[in-house]
Amino acid sequence: MEKPVRSIVIVGGGTAGWITAGRIAAEHQHDSAQAVQVTLVESPTIGIIGVGEGTWPTMRNTLMKLGVSETDFFRECNASFKQGAKFAKWVNGADDDFYYHPLMLPQGFQKGDLSSAWQREGSAQSFSEAVCYQEAVCEHGLSPKLITTPEFASLANYAYHLDAGKFAAFLQKHCTTKLGVKHVLADVTRVVAAESGDIAAVEVERAESNGSDQIAGDLFVDCTGFSSLLLGKHFEVPFVDRSDVLFIDRAIAVQVPYADDDSPIASHTISTGQEAGWIWDIGLSNRRGVGYVYSSRHTTETEAESTLRNYVGDEFSELSPRKIPITSGHRELFWKNNCVAVGLSAGFLEPLEASALVLVELSAEMIAEQLPACRSVMDITAKRFNETFLYRWDRIVDFLKLHYILSEREEPFWVDNRKPESIPDSLQALMSLWKFRAPGDHDFTSNNEVFPAASYQYVLYGMGFKTNMNWRSASDAERMFAQEQFALNERAVRQALDTLPSNRELISKIKQYGFAAI
Amino acid sequence: MAKLVSLHNSIHQELRISPEKAEYHGAELNMVPVMLSEFLKLAVQFPIALTKNKETGKFACVAMLGFAEKENLFWQHSKLDTLYTPLHIFRQPFFLGRNDAEGHSVTDSDQQYVVCFDAESNSVVSEGGELLFTSAGEETPYLQKMKAVLAELLDGETRTHTFVETLLELGLLTSMQLDITFANGESQRVNGMYTIDEKKLNALSGDTVVRLHNEGYLAHIYAMVTSTGQIYSLIQKKNARLSAAALNV
Ligand SMILES: Cc1cc2nc3c(=O)[nH]c(=O)nc-3n(C[C@H](O)[C@H](O)[C@H](O)COP(=O)(O)OP(=O)(O)OC[C@H]3O[C@@H](n4cnc5c(N)ncnc54)[C@H](O)[C@@H]3O)c2cc1C
């Protein structure tokens, strides 16, 4: 038989590298000699990006698949709960201008749509408040579960906020001690090509020994971050620039300490619109991570820094801001020959909906679960992988852009964002449909969707979009259904406020007692 | 609310405790914490299960006395109708406390222990009952017995805790799915109870079974498994109550 895919070499030890290594190793771990060997090569000199603190609920599944304990994860990564995002000052910049994109579907979403009823009745409550109890949970700083809830299980759906640096170290320890991943600290200096054009090996210079040696493999995973060493540099796969749609190209990030040990921890990411971009605010268990992502075409670095200073307050002067350039876009292909890129090496879009790590998770999952048995079938997997992920990048671009196009803010950054030539056709088509009916599952029918119709509803109606419902009137059944669901949501709010502890309280308890596995 | 006072032979020479009335402390308990040393005695009458402490999420062994909150189906005619009274009820109104610097008693510490009693307990009576000290200030046999019970509880807590840790380590616990429909059609879901996973128990390796046997746990594990059958007698008790209530309407 043809030579099977046995040896997988991952270059890069950021979150992308370790998640991919762990998923593949866990999926193919067994005692027999047939086991797939995963080797991760990481530069001892080039650091990881060290930002990226917001995740999706998919991270719970990823951690379970890796076989880590949620308690250890909370303790070692300064993690906290994330139950959605609060978008403040995106519509008109007023102080009371905000809406939520929670992690739970609108009440009764599987059975029927509430957005039409909510619009007809001209409810005093915002859409997210009227249809999802999670907004109230977040507004009260409550956690999504109890200390008696088993690990990874939830009462309200949740994801995490985590310390990116600690997370990579945590995964490294688990992958090397529990999953048999070989860890090589060395700089990759050269790619050794085979006659077929595949990568035969990477040449490395190890820290401890002089001279270089080669690490051969059957499949290479490029997790080298923005440098995209294998896919970008070696294979010269072109970069598809999306900055015509998404303008943000700079970040300044700071770590802000809490006032004291009992300061409340927000249970959601807060994203606040600014003159030329927006500020993320993520509460970890031990500090906040705050950063301004902006468009350098619309503001200067000095102005951006003072915007961030205004947001953070006096203590800003004691912090050391990190500046990170960002290019919006992705590679034209992600899998070429025997090399697949995961993480920043594949591409990056502004972190508005924390879509980077979820793409890492989805990529790692697909590679682990559909690992080609041998080289001759690899091109088929590669083709599928490329189709799947190109579709996903496109949908993410659409969904991120949606956040901008309904704003009424007047600063040039916001005005430019509304220009039709900056809005993808696919999004414009959906917007035309949604003038007359609400987003529904029928608008998103691929197996590879990233955001469900509910997410579009939260953003559309949160931003004040009006779907014209006059052309059809609601049936009695629809009215009854809506009333029932609104009442159920009110009940769920009361119940949640009665039972859930504060985010801070639960996180302290996790540190002290831990979650049980059942 | 309990008001704990540390016991003194001079101050409390006249104090009388009624053991029967002490049972009132169990009147509204639908479950009671139990010790490993009690399992065999409990299993003939109560389901023994585990539940999580609401504050810490830690597992504790309990005997089930009822289904709904505050429902003790063994509470009949102002007394506990049981063959064996769980130590946690039997010990009432006594507790172990520690005297801290200011002289306030604090329970649940592994420092030097002093015996306390709940001064608000119904069992503190002015006539009848049991005296705690003789006129010479010596402990009566009743107090000696109660102190032995407290010592057994203290020791039993650690042993029971280690037992639970072993069950968790071996993955032997599973959550109990109880959807009960009573004779009057009323139904109830019992949440938050855990029991032995019999499939996992049966799949244990010989070595592990020997280890459990050597630690003295095997009999207790099987006592728990058997005791879950007592849920049916609890249901019967509840049905009897419901039909008695229906007749009284
Ligand atoms: C401002 C900002 C905010 C973000 N916020 C979020 C967010 O909220 N949510 C989210 O999901 N994502 C977010 N991201 C994205 C997230 O940070 C990344 O997707 C994630 O950290 C994965 O990075 P990586 O592992 O691909 O790259 P990196 O962390 O950059 O790792 C690259 C690795 O490659 C190694 N390497 C490079 N060159 C060589 C070489 N020659 N030889 C050997 N090794 C080499 C390095 O040593 C390093 O280990 C954000 C990103 C930015 C910039």
Side-chain angles (χ1 to χ4, degrees):
Chain A
M1 197 190 111
E2 213 193 327
K3 190 168 167 279
V5 172
R6 285 274 169 75
S7 163
I8 296 168
V9 178
I10 293 170
V11 185
T15 325
W18 287 113
I19 286 180
T20 310
R23 283 298 313 259
I24 297 174
E27 185 83 23
H28 298 274
Q29 188 181 41
H30 47 82
D31 298 332
S32 84
Q34 282 183 0
V36 165
Q37 176 59 54
V38 180
T39 306
L40 186 144
V41 192
E42 177 187 12
S43 161
T45 47
I46 307 167
I48 65 170
I49 187 123
V51 283
E53 304 184 324
T55 65
W56 278 34
T58 47
M59 191 56 85
R60 275 153 60 196
N61 185 49
T62 296
L63 295 182
M64 273 192 275
K65 284 273 163 76
L66 294 178
V68 303
S69 120
E70 192 179 34
T71 302
D72 291 346
F73 165 71
F74 267 93
R75 289 177 180 163
E76 292 178 36
C77 303
N78 293 326
S80 63
F81 295 104
K82 167 181 171 179
Q83 299 183 70
K86 177 179 184 171
F87 293 95
K89 306 193 178 186
W90 279 70
V91 180
N92 55 27
D95 282 342
D96 62 351
D97 162 15
F98 75 84
Y99 70 94
Y100 270 83
H101 176 195
L103 295 183
M104 296 180 82
L105 297 175
Q107 177 70 40
F109 192 75
Q110 249 82 357
K111 288 182 252 159
D113 174 51
L114 281 187
S115 68
S116 318
W118 171 79
Q119 285 202 69
R120 273 200 194 92
E121 322 225 317
S123 164
Q125 287 180 315
S126 71
F127 177 66
S128 49
E129 189 182 12
V131 304
C132 183
Y133 74 88
Q134 202 156 30
E135 169 160 341
V137 171
C138 292
E139 284 288 290
H140 286 82
L142 303 182
S143 67
K145 64 195 286 190
L146 308 171
I147 191 67
T148 50
T149 317
E151 66 173 0
F152 298 119
S154 64
L155 298 182
N157 194 17
Y158 68 87
Y160 310 105
H161 289 143
L162 52 85
D163 180 316
K166 295 229 153 75
F167 188 45
F170 174 75
L171 292 174
Q172 175 190 321
K173 188 174 76 181
H174 182 76
C175 288
T176 51
T177 60
K178 298 278 165 58
L179 298 176
V181 174
K182 233 166 84 185
H183 186 199
V184 177
L185 268 181
D187 280 306
V188 170
T189 47
R190 197 170 71 88
V191 172
V192 183
E195 237 164 70
S196 62
D198 281 7
I199 297 178
V202 287
E203 196 166 283
V204 297
E205 267 170 30
R206 292 178 201 253
E208 69 270 25
S209 63
N210 308 332
S212 59
D213 56 88
Q214 295 190 350
I215 299 175
D218 303 312
L219 175 67
F220 288 81
V221 188
D222 184 348
C223 297
T224 57
F226 282 128
S227 67
S228 196
L229 196 68
L230 308 185
L231 191 79
K233 297 230 169 81
H234 174 73
F235 281 114
E236 297 179 343
V237 171
F239 185 79
V240 184
D241 191 326
R242 304 303 294 263
S243 60
D244 52 333
V245 181
L246 297 167
F247 306 155
I248 276 166
D249 60 357
R250 295 279 190 287
I252 325 178
V254 285
Q255 303 187 347
V256 185
Y258 285 114
D260 54 65
D261 289 351
D262 305 323
S263 297
I265 302 172
S267 203
H268 51 281
T269 302
I270 303 159
S271 137
T272 308
Q274 305 292 337
E275 180 210 349
W278 54 274
I279 285 178
W280 82 77
D281 187 342
I282 284 179
L284 303 185
S285 67
N286 63 324
R287 62 161 171 86
R288 284 154 65 210
V290 183
Y292 183 21
V293 278
Y294 63 93
S295 156
S296 66
R297 274 180 281 162
H298 297 92
T299 190
T300 63
E301 191 175 302
T302 323
E303 275 176 59
E305 210 173 303
S306 88
T307 302
L308 187 58
R309 176 189 310 269
N310 281 342
Y311 182 91
V312 171
D314 291 341
E315 56 215 295
F316 187 81
S317 43
E318 285 145 47
L319 308 173
S320 24
R322 261 192 70 198
K323 292 171 187 153
I324 307 161
I326 291 172
T327 335
S328 273
H330 52 80
R331 298 283 152 185
E332 198 177 272
L333 293 175
F334 311 104
W335 195 322
K336 187 161 167 56
N337 290 47
N338 64 339
C339 170
V340 53
V342 179
L344 297 174
S345 57
F348 183 62
L349 300 170
E350 60 178 86
L352 187 55
E353 287 281 357
S355 51
L357 288 177
V358 73
L359 280 181
V360 168
E361 297 174 73
L362 289 168
S363 305
E365 177 171 82
M366 188 160 170
I367 298 168
E369 289 179 356
Q370 302 184 32
L371 193 70
C374 51
R375 182 61 186 87
S376 64
V377 294
M378 192 180 286
D379 292 342
I380 304 169
T381 313
K383 182 163 177 284
R384 287 187 185 178
F385 188 94
N386 288 328
E387 283 165 3
T388 301
F389 283 90
L390 278 172
Y391 180 82
R392 286 175 169 158
W393 282 95
D394 280 341
R395 294 292 75 72
I396 295 172
V397 170
D398 277 3
F399 187 63
L400 298 188
K401 185 65 175 181
L402 177 71
H403 293 67
Y404 290 101
I405 59 178
L406 295 166
S407 177
E408 294 157 13
R409 291 183 68 131
E410 289 300 336
E411 296 100 325
F413 169 79
W414 297 90
V415 173
D416 287 352
N417 253 307
R418 299 197 282 273
K419 291 195 172 141
E421 63 270 24
S422 77
I423 304 173
D425 293 345
S426 45
L427 179 59
Q428 293 204 13
L430 288 170
M431 292 302 288
S432 304
L433 280 177
W434 295 336
K435 278 188 192 137
F436 303 102
R437 64 162 175 77
D441 286 337
H442 37 255
D443 296 319
F444 305 95
T445 52
S446 156
N447 285 332
N448 300 315
E449 297 298 347
V450 189
F451 295 95
S455 292
Y456 285 83
Q457 289 198 354
Y458 282 124
V459 175
L460 271 186
Y461 301 121
M463 292 293 299
F465 183 76
K466 295 278 179 289
T467 297
N468 181 346
M469 294 289 174
N470 295 338
W471 62 281
R472 61 177 284 272
S473 54
S475 67
D476 291 346
E478 259 177 86
R479 280 178 208 280
M480 284 248 294
F481 170 77
Q483 264 162 19
E484 266 169 36
Q485 301 307 315
F486 287 130
L488 281 175
N489 190 57
E490 274 176 34
R491 204 166 76 194
V493 168
R494 281 195 303 273
Q495 229 168 30
L497 299 189
D498 277 352
T499 45
L500 295 172
S502 80
N503 211 17
R504 165 73 73 189
E505 181 186 337
L506 184 58
I507 290 165
S508 306
K509 279 191 180 174
I510 297 169
K511 294 201 169 162
Q512 191 175 355
Y513 307 112
F515 285 128
I518 58 163
Chain B
M1 270 311 283
K3 183 184 168 212
L4 296 191
V5 173
S6 62
L7 208 54
H8 258 281
N9 58 2
S10 54
I11 310 171
H12 299 121
Q13 198 166 26
E14 300 289 303
L15 188 70
R16 289 167 180 276
I17 300 291
S18 158
E20 293 85 52
K21 289 202 168 161
E23 290 188 351
Y24 269 102
H25 288 277
E28 292 193 339
L29 297 180
N30 67 343
M31 58 179 99
V32 60
V34 294
M35 301 291 126
L36 203 55
S37 56
E38 305 178 88
F39 274 25
L40 303 184
K41 287 169 258 180
L42 291 164
V44 299
Q45 208 167 15
F46 310 95
I48 306 171
L50 293 101
T51 188
K52 286 181 184 173
N53 180 308
K54 285 201 169 53
E55 290 306 310
T56 66
K58 295 283 175 206
F59 283 100
C61 296
V62 293
M64 293 173 67
L65 307 174
F67 298 105
E69 252 182 62
K70 299 195 168 184
E71 174 181 77
N72 182 342
L73 295 166
F74 293 90
W75 188 252
Q76 305 266 8
H77 313 297
S78 303
K79 61 195 274 293
L80 269 186
D81 184 19
T82 54
L83 301 171
Y84 168 81
T85 304
L87 285 182
H88 257 289
I89 299 178
F90 189 78
R91 60 95 68 88
Q92 293 284 353
F94 299 100
F95 293 85
L96 284 180
R98 174 176 67 91
N99 259 359
D100 72 5
E102 286 111 48
H104 300 302
S105 42
V106 183
T107 49
D108 283 332
S109 158
D110 48 12
Q111 307 286 312
Q112 274 227 317
Y113 288 102
V114 293
V115 176
C116 303
F117 73 102
D118 174 6
E120 314 259 274
S121 169
N122 276 342
S123 61
V124 178
V125 290
S126 45
E127 280 168 23
E130 302 272 358
L131 282 166
L132 305 182
F133 299 101
T134 65
S135 47
E138 312 219 303
E139 296 178 356
T140 60
Y142 169 67
L143 180 57
Q144 281 169 2
K145 183 174 75 183
M146 295 311 283
K147 279 174 78 170
V149 169
L150 293 180
E152 186 177 345
L153 281 172
L154 185 65
D155 175 54
E157 208 157 306
T158 326
R159 286 200 56 208
T160 311
H161 176 74
T162 321
F163 171 69
V164 172
E165 291 291 304
T166 308
L167 298 182
L168 284 172
E169 175 205 322
L170 296 174
L172 280 180
L173 292 183
T174 178
S175 71
M176 236 189 224
Q177 305 296 345
L178 276 184
D179 275 306
I180 305 168
T181 305
F182 300 110
N184 67 349
E186 197 183 295
S187 66
Q188 180 157 12
R189 165 167 293 179
V190 179
N191 283 323
M193 305 303 291
Y194 301 80
T195 185
I196 299 288
D197 185 333
E198 287 184 61
K199 264 206 208 110
K200 293 248 180 76
L201 179 63
N202 293 333
L204 287 181
S205 71
D207 288 352
T208 314
V209 174
V210 170
R211 174 191 149 194
L212 289 174
H213 174 70
N214 290 342
E215 282 167 343
Y217 290 158
L218 209 50
H220 296 106
I221 290 173
Y222 280 103
M224 281 182 84
V225 172
T226 317
S227 80
T228 45
Q230 303 295 355
I231 286 173
Y232 293 102
S233 66
L234 269 193
I235 294 174
Q236 215 171 23
K237 276 180 185 295
K238 171 99 178 198
N239 282 336
R241 261 197 197 184
L242 290 170
S243 55
L247 286 178
N248 285 340
V249 171

